[in-house]
Amino acid sequence: VGLNRQPVASFGGPTLRPQATIAGFGAADVVIVPAQFAPDAEASPEDERLAAWLRAQHAQGALLVSLAGCLLLAKAGLLDRREATGLLSEAALFRSRFPLVRYLPPRRVVASGDIVTANGIGPTPDACAHIIERFHGAALARRFLRHTSTEALPVNEQTSLWSARYK
């Protein structure tokens, strides 16, 4: 889902073409909020449009899941008076611009009601397991984690080298 259907350059290089626009999208069960690279605490006009859409989705009952993209949720005011986690590099932004957010970058995943924030790519399977548990139960979430847990991967220092062969 995008602001429009224009291709968007991804961080990894390939362009992605949104399949739907926020204007024409109905109610979602889950909204995944990806990371924003080179973030700024000031909300751009695009950020404002996305924030309004996120607030509307949340008001309609959507589970919001941030994969290191909680800065946009903070700009939308959705993290006020909640705990959240995200990138350590954004901690100073949160302290200065979003004092109502209890920002906890050392935590891998924080589930604060119907908003889940994950601290980068490593805890993504844990956030996905939370989604699976919410909609399909704990047994299926545990089964998912048996196949995707990052604990089975090499230690952090080796992960980049280990995963490079698959890129």
Side-chain angles (χ1 to χ4, degrees), residues 77-146:
L78 291 164
L79 296 179
D80 290 353
R81 295 173 182 74
R82 291 181 186 254
E83 291 184 342
T85 191
L87 303 174
L88 182 60
S89 61
E90 296 175 354
L93 271 172
F94 273 85
R95 277 193 307 275
S96 65
R97 295 298 306 237
F98 305 104
L100 295 178
V101 179
R102 186 161 179 234
Y103 194 65
L104 307 166
R107 301 243 325 253
R108 290 174 47 87
V109 176
V110 172
S112 181
D114 49 3
I115 297 179
V116 178
T117 55
N119 182 353
I121 191 92
T124 297
D126 299 326
C128 292
H130 185 83
I131 297 168
I132 293 167
E133 182 174 9
R134 177 174 171 148
F135 293 99
H136 302 287
L140 194 56
R142 281 192 299 275
R143 183 175 170 200
F144 169 79
L145 283 173
R146 278 198 309 268

Side-chain angles (χ1 to χ4, degrees), residues 13-92:
T15 56
L16 306 172
R17 185 176 301 276
Q19 297 173 343
T21 66
I22 60 173
F25 196 85
D29 292 324
V30 178
V31 176
I32 306 291
V33 181
Q36 293 180 290
F37 294 97
D40 187 322
E42 300 305 318
S44 69
E46 288 179 345
D47 289 342
E48 292 290 345
R49 288 179 60 203
L50 288 169
W53 182 76
L54 287 169
R55 285 190 298 272
Q57 290 296 320
H58 185 252
Q60 294 175 63
L63 174 66
L64 303 180
V65 181
S66 160
L67 304 178
C70 69
L71 186 58
L72 184 58
L73 294 175
K75 290 176 185 180
L78 291 164
L79 296 179
D80 290 353
R81 295 173 182 74
R82 291 181 186 254
E83 291 184 342
T85 191
L87 303 174
L88 182 60
S89 61
E90 296 175 354

